């Protein structure tokens, strides 16, 4: 860590244009944004453009982007290979509610990269993909209930918004009897009751749950890592045991690969962990930021479509999304792009270790090098509730300091840092590490003076929701 006094002074960002846009937007958009997760009050960011591993806000501040739109940008912003291909294809027309060859090519690539997949269909968002995956599981099994792990995020439909991201762990109920906690109003109680919360990484509790209610449970949906809690990893053998348990009880296993798909490996977390799910959902990295998504499954499970289950969508398979998926998936298939992403994450982790080890602070990395978090704690986190025991105030202060110094991780300590192929370019890795180092120094000094939690000028505050 540097001892330069200059590094202790938190730089301030110009935010005049953004504040003006925020006030204007507030008159039209609730919270001034199109998503609760971007509504950060006065600190709401209004973006101008992105290129490679960087973004610029409308005040002209430049950042190394470690959010990457919550993960979709796997190659880099404005990737010419993808954008040129999409441009070329979109000139042929975008929306027909007819089927183009681009869509067939895109789903063939999903199958090729995930060889266990029998059939796949496109949606526009990850939310739609998980909603349809759950419906298919219910239709296939004739059962209504879906098990979901606390702290996992599967989008914003009613069936997904149960026990997602409370700040206060007591709201999740007794450890052995977790409650289904609806995130926000408007979710019908009868819908919420069909979602059974469980605790990630606790196979014994899962067995007890299946023994009690297994005959009513259609599927268990799982983010292979806890993407909404810094990518907490499964304990060794957890996925294998869960797979065996689902087979024993005739319950389908849905891998929600919206964050992990085409990122952890060409075949996503299923390949990475060596698990064959029954259904999977994809989005994000599949289209390098274009709104491409899909659900896919075993041949027999997907055979409920098209006759027995409803699925449609005016924009499902639209040309832009399909072309983006085709080009992005070809790049992932044919180049070493993912190896570059993984190596870049590992280089950043090595740099952070050099900064952190001499401090004696207890910490560990969570997640996969392409998508990892830093938890300040002795305890190796294994489920969402563990996040509350980490020193996330320190993390928050570092994240705010990094933003002020030109790198943009998510301000909420639950969201991992994301890496893309373009982050390997130039001195980005070194800059991330030195920005982290300066921000850590400043945060520790602020703590000594009892000032932690007081956000420096221009820094972000917690988003309205996880
Ligand atoms: C694991 C997971 N599933 C589903 C979703 C929902 O995807 P979308 O935001 O495209 O609706 C997300 C979004 O972050 C996600 O991380």
């Amino acid at each position: 860590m540097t001892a330069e006094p200059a590094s202790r002074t938190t730089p301030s960002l110009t935010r005049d244009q953004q504040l003006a846009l925020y006030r204007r937007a507030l008159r039209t958009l609730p919270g001034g944004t199109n998503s609760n997760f971007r509504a950060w009050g006065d600190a709401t960011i209004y973006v101008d453009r992105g290129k490679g591993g960087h973004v610029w806000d409308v005040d002209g501040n430049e950042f190394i982007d470690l959010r990457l739109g919550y993960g979709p940008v796997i190659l880099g912003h404005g990737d010419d290979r993808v954008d040129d291909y999409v441009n070329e294809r979109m000139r042929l027309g975008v929306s027909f509610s007819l089927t183009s060859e681009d869509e067939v090519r895109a789903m063939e690539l999903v199958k090729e990269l995930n060889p266990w997949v029998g059939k796949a269909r496109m949606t526009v968002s990850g939310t739609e993909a998980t909603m349809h995956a759950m419906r298919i599981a219910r239709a296939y099994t004739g059962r209504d209930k879906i098990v979901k792990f606390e702290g996992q995020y599967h989008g914003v439909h009613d069936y997904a918004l149960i026990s997602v991201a409370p700040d206060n762990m007591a709201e999740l109920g007794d450890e052995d009897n977790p409650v289904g906690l609806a995130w926000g109003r408007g979710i019908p109680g009868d819908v919420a009751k069909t979602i059974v919360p469980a605790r990630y990484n606790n196979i014994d509790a899962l067995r007890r749950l299946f023994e009690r209610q297994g005959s009513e449970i259609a599927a268990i949906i799982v983010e292979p890592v806890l993407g909404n809690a810094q990518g907490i990893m499964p304990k060794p053998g957890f996925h294998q045991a869960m797979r065996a348990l689902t087979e024993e009880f005739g319950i389908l296993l849905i891998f929600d690969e919206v964050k992990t798909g085409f990122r952890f490996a060409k075949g996503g977390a299923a390949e990475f962990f060596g698990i064959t799910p029954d259904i999977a959902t994809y989005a994000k990295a599949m289209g390098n930021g274009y709104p491409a998504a899909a659900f896919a499954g075993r041949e027999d499970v997907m055979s409920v479509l098209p006759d027995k289950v409803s699925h449609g969508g005016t924009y499902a398979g639209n040309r832009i999304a399909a072309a983006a998926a085709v080009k992005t998936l070809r790049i992932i298939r044919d180049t070493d792009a993912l190896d570059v992403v993984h190596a870049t994450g590992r280089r950043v982790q090595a740099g952070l270790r050099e900064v952190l080890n001499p401090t004696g602070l207890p910490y560990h990395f969570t997640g996969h090098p392409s998508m990892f978090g830093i938890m300040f704690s002795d305890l190796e986190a294994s489920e969402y509730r563990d996040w509350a025991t980490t020193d996330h105030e320190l993390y928050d202060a570092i994240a705010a300091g990094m933003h002020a110094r030109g790198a943009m991780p998510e301000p909420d300590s639950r969201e991992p840092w994301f890496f893309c192929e373009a982050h390997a370019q130039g001195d980005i890795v070194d800059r991330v590490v030195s920005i982290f180092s300066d921000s850590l120094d400043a945060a520790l000094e602020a703590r000594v003076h009892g000032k932690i939690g007081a956000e420096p000028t221009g820094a972000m505050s917690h988003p309205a929701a996880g």
Side-chain angles (χ1 to χ4, degrees), residues 70 125-128 130 153-156 223 256 258-259 283-284:
Y70 294 128
S125 67
T127 293
E128 273 182 87
T130 61
Y153 180 71
H154 301 293
V156 285
E223 277 185 89
D256 180 358
V258 165
K259 271 184 176 147
K284 306 227 178 204

Side-chain angles (χ1 to χ4, degrees), residues 78 117 123 258 266 303 383 453:
V117 166
T123 61
V258 165
K266 293 181 185 186
S303 71
E383 62 166 326

Side-chain angles (χ1 to χ4, degrees), residues 284-306:
K284 306 227 178 204
M286 177 177 166
N288 196 41
Y290 287 90
F295 58 95
R298 265 172 28 201
E299 187 76 46
D300 59 328
V301 173
M302 291 293 278
S303 71
V304 295
L305 288 169

Side-chain angles (χ1 to χ4, degrees), residues 46-335:
Y46 291 88
V47 69
D48 178 35
R49 66 190 193 282
K51 189 70 190 166
H54 291 88
V55 282
W56 288 261
D57 65 29
V58 295
D59 284 288
N61 300 304
E62 177 182 338
F63 304 95
I64 297 168
D65 187 6
L66 299 172
R67 297 175 66 254
L68 296 173
Y70 294 128
V73 181
I74 189 77
L75 303 173
H77 291 289
D79 184 276
D80 291 336
R81 297 163 295 182
V82 179
D83 291 357
D84 289 350
Y85 187 75
V86 171
N87 270 303
E88 185 191 312
R89 300 301 300 167
M90 72 190 266
R91 293 209 177 85
L92 299 171
V94 171
S95 278
F96 303 97
S97 274
L98 297 169
T99 304
S100 73
E101 194 180 348
D102 299 84
E103 298 166 59
V104 180
R105 286 194 195 111
M107 294 303 92
E108 284 171 350
L109 280 156
V110 166
K111 268 187 76 161
E112 190 183 334
L113 294 175
N114 301 278
W116 65 271
V117 166
K119 293 255 164 64
R121 266 202 182 168
M122 289 193 79
T123 61
V124 181
S125 67
T127 293
E128 273 182 87
T130 61
M131 183 181 77
H132 285 106
M134 290 185 187
R135 185 182 299 151
I136 289 205
R138 289 192 292 257
Y140 181 80
T141 58
R143 302 170 179 174
D144 279 348
K145 293 195 172 160
I146 306 275
V147 173
K148 138 171 215 307
F149 289 112
E150 289 177 359
Q152 298 214 317
Y153 180 71
H154 301 293
V156 285
H157 57 83
D158 290 350
Y159 296 93
L161 287 173
I162 307 297
S163 299
V164 181
D167 288 335
N168 177 0
M169 300 301 138
E171 292 175 12
L172 288 167
D174 181 76
E175 291 198 8
D176 290 317
N177 298 293
V179 295
L181 185 69
W183 195 4
R185 299 186 194 179
I187 297 168
D190 285 346
V191 168
K193 275 188 217 135
T194 66
I195 303 302
V196 185
R199 295 171 62 198
Y200 185 72
N201 264 331
N202 191 331
I203 202 71
D204 295 336
L206 198 61
R207 170 170 281 285
R208 289 196 294 276
L209 172 64
F210 283 8
E211 280 166 356
R212 279 197 312 272
Q213 296 186 54
S215 61
E216 300 167 65
I217 295 170
I220 178 158
I221 186 165
V222 57
E223 277 185 89
V225 303
L226 256 115
N228 207 41
Q230 291 199 348
I232 292 173
M233 293 288 262
K235 287 182 185 161
F238 175 69
H239 280 322
Q240 286 74 8
M242 181 167 56
R243 176 68 282 195
L245 213 51
T246 51
E247 280 165 1
E248 185 183 329
F249 286 85
I251 291 168
L252 297 183
L253 178 61
I254 305 173
F255 256 30
D256 180 358
E257 295 243 30
V258 165
K259 271 184 176 147
T260 54
F262 314 111
R263 171 172 282 280
F264 276 32
K266 293 181 185 186
E271 178 187 320
F272 184 78
F273 292 116
I275 297 293
T276 305
D278 302 300
I279 305 178
T281 51
Y282 304 103
K284 306 227 178 204
M286 177 177 166
N288 196 41
Y290 287 90
F295 58 95
R298 265 172 28 201
E299 187 76 46
D300 59 328
V301 173
M302 291 293 278
S303 71
V304 295
L305 288 169
D307 297 333
K308 300 194 181 81
V309 167
S310 296
H311 166 245
T314 305
Y315 299 123
N318 73 79
R319 176 92 71 185
I320 292 173
V326 168
K327 192 62 188 184
T328 306
L329 294 180
R330 280 184 184 157
I331 292 169
I332 286 172
R333 181 190 64 185
D334 299 337
T335 75

Side-chain angles (χ1 to χ4, degrees), residues 8 10 356 359-363 375-377 388-398 413 438-456:
R8 307 298 168 95
T10 306
L356 284 164
T359 66
L361 286 167
Y363 76 95
M375 284 194 172
F376 292 102
S377 160
T389 67
T390 66
D391 187 355
H392 45 85
E393 279 196 346
L394 177 62
Y395 178 92
D396 291 346
I398 296 169
S413 58
D438 291 347
S439 305
L440 173 65
D441 283 349
L444 291 175
E445 191 166 308
R447 172 163 278 174
V448 168
H449 294 105
K451 286 190 190 149
I452 219 159
E455 308 279 76

Side-chain angles (χ1 to χ4, degrees), residues 37 70 165 167 183 228 410 412 414-415 463-466:
F37 308 141
Y70 294 128
D167 288 335
W183 195 4
N228 207 41
E410 178 75 5
D412 189 319
R414 279 164 281 200
E415 194 69 21

